[in-house]
Amino acid sequence: MARSARFRSIAGIALAGAMALGITACSSGDSGDAGGGDGEGLVTVGFVAVGPEGGWRTANEQNIQDAFSTENGFTLKYAPATNGDQNSQITAFTSFIDEGVDAILLSATEATGWEDVLKRAQEAEIPVVLLDRGIEPDDTSLYTSRIAPDNVGISTSAAEWANEQFPDGAKYVVLEGPPGLSVVNDRNKGWDASIADNFTKVESQSANWSTEEAKSVFETILKANNNDIQLVFAQNDEMGLGAALAVEEAGLKPGTDVKIITIDGTKAALEALAAGRLSFVAEYNPLFGEDAVSVVNKALAGDTVESSIVVASTTFDSPEAAQTALPDRKF
């Protein structure tokens, strides 16, 4: 999506006015009020973020902030959601349009409800890049590109591992993220399509990405089923670690009596895998800041940009694999 010279000029004037009024901006690793350089020649990018949510989100948003640094030619305006509330994200998104930023990065807390503001950004000729989470309906005409690992492929790999571990089937539980997120839907899609027919899904519940909630949810499920559960598919690391605590609370051994699969691949999860408390960790690589910079630069230059960019990820299926990866783990 190319932007007109006239609009860029207007945006520059708007930016100068915004800075004069003290609008919050941040550069690499700084979520405070400091401005990103003197603004001359810098590309202004609004980042409608999720904010505190866990290890994966922290790594991802720090990587984005590092990539869109003043040294790389950007002024990044970082706007995390207030307690995960979508309305606060829509307010931030609208403010970025009104300020006339050059581009907007969006990590949505909810999949639906974005059509109106995306159309406003389109009318203002501001390219929008989706980070991680998609939108529903997925109207690719309303955004420039989506950058994310392949959720369907990652959960498929987890199911295929489970099939190998339990050739005679098993009783299992799914711990999901918040209902309605595209990432949750995609992770269910890949798992459900690939898990063998001789497996029995005992329960599927949201634990909201939380270790504490996952521990509570899985404790209840274990008691209700007399501990007769052999496998947990946790859709993020934190919930998998919560399930491990519940298993230990029940007097069982995680990784042995109950195998636990997680997604994300944070250092905490790999340490648990190395210790035998988790069984399989599928990475969901959060480090795609450089990809986002490339997309924004191409979009502003009027170059063609792919509507979907898949971030390469890997899997860890043994303590040895985790031990090998840990010394160089960046998140």
Side-chain angles (χ1 to χ4, degrees):
M1 179 184 295
R3 306 185 65 196
S4 68
R6 176 179 177 277
F7 184 81
R8 292 295 298 275
S9 175
I10 293 173
I13 294 171
L15 172 61
M19 295 184 69
L21 291 171
I23 291 177
T24 299
C26 66
S27 58
S28 177
D30 181 4
S31 58
D33 292 337
D38 60 8
E40 293 182 1
L42 297 177
V43 173
T44 305
V45 176
F47 181 16
V48 182
V50 174
E53 190 183 53
W56 188 92
R57 187 63 57 187
T58 298
N60 174 253
E61 296 194 352
Q62 185 61 61
N63 182 247
I64 295 297
Q65 291 179 76
D66 290 344
F68 286 88
S69 65
T70 53
E71 291 78 9
N72 289 337
F74 297 94
T75 294
L76 185 71
K77 293 172 174 283
Y78 174 66
T82 303
N83 298 322
D85 177 51
Q86 185 188 31
N87 288 330
S88 70
Q89 287 199 306
I90 291 176
T91 298
F93 195 107
T94 303
S95 295
F96 287 145
I97 296 173
D98 294 340
E99 293 169 21
V101 299
D102 295 299
I104 296 176
L105 309 174
L106 171 62
S107 293
T109 57
E110 295 185 25
T112 59
W114 291 102
E115 291 92 335
D116 290 345
V117 290
L118 287 172
K119 287 177 181 175
R120 279 201 60 196
Q122 190 175 56
E123 291 167 0
E125 300 184 34
I126 299 174
V128 176
V129 180
L130 306 185
L131 303 181
D132 177 26
R133 295 172 181 172
I135 58 170
E136 296 177 2
D138 186 21
D139 184 350
T140 56
S141 70
L142 293 178
Y143 61 87
T144 300
S145 184
R146 179 188 174 194
I147 306 173
D150 177 9
N151 277 300
V152 175
I154 286 170
S155 57
T156 296
S157 70
E160 290 173 345
W161 177 84
N163 293 339
E164 293 177 358
Q165 295 297 308
F166 297 98
D168 297 325
K171 294 181 179 179
Y172 73 94
V173 168
V174 180
L175 297 175
E176 301 181 351
L181 289 180
S182 64
V183 60
V184 173
N185 296 338
D186 286 346
R187 289 177 184 183
N188 280 329
K189 182 178 179 181
W191 175 270
D192 290 342
S194 302
I195 197 70
D197 292 338
N198 57 0
F199 279 66
T200 301
K201 182 188 290 186
V202 175
E203 195 76 62
S204 181
Q205 286 194 28
S206 173
N208 293 308
W209 306 134
S210 163
T211 296
E212 292 73 20
E213 286 193 45
K215 178 177 181 291
S216 176
V217 166
F218 195 52
E219 278 180 347
T220 301
I221 294 173
L222 279 172
K223 288 178 182 175
N225 290 275
N226 297 316
N227 292 343
D228 187 18
I229 304 292
Q230 290 79 52
L231 175 67
V232 173
F233 171 44
Q235 294 187 344
N236 80 341
D237 290 341
E238 279 81 0
M239 294 192 296
L241 294 170
L245 292 173
V247 171
E248 291 164 342
E249 189 78 14
L252 304 174
K253 187 174 181 180
T256 301
D257 298 316
V258 182
K259 294 188 182 300
I260 301 173
I261 296 169
T262 74
I263 294 178
D264 281 348
T266 59
K267 187 177 293 184
L270 292 188
E271 289 172 345
L273 178 60
R277 298 179 69 240
L278 297 181
S279 309
F280 181 89
V281 176
E283 179 186 68
Y284 189 71
N285 187 353
L287 307 180
F288 47 82
E290 290 185 6
D291 295 306
V293 166
S294 176
V295 166
V296 167
N297 283 335
K298 287 181 178 178
L300 294 176
D303 295 339
T304 300
V305 179
E306 296 179 16
S307 61
S308 177
I309 296 175
V310 177
V311 180
S313 300
T314 188
T315 59
F316 303 92
D317 62 358
S318 68
E320 292 75 19
Q323 289 163 0
T324 299
L326 274 169
D328 298 321
R329 203 64 180 163
K330 296 180 180 178
F331 60 96

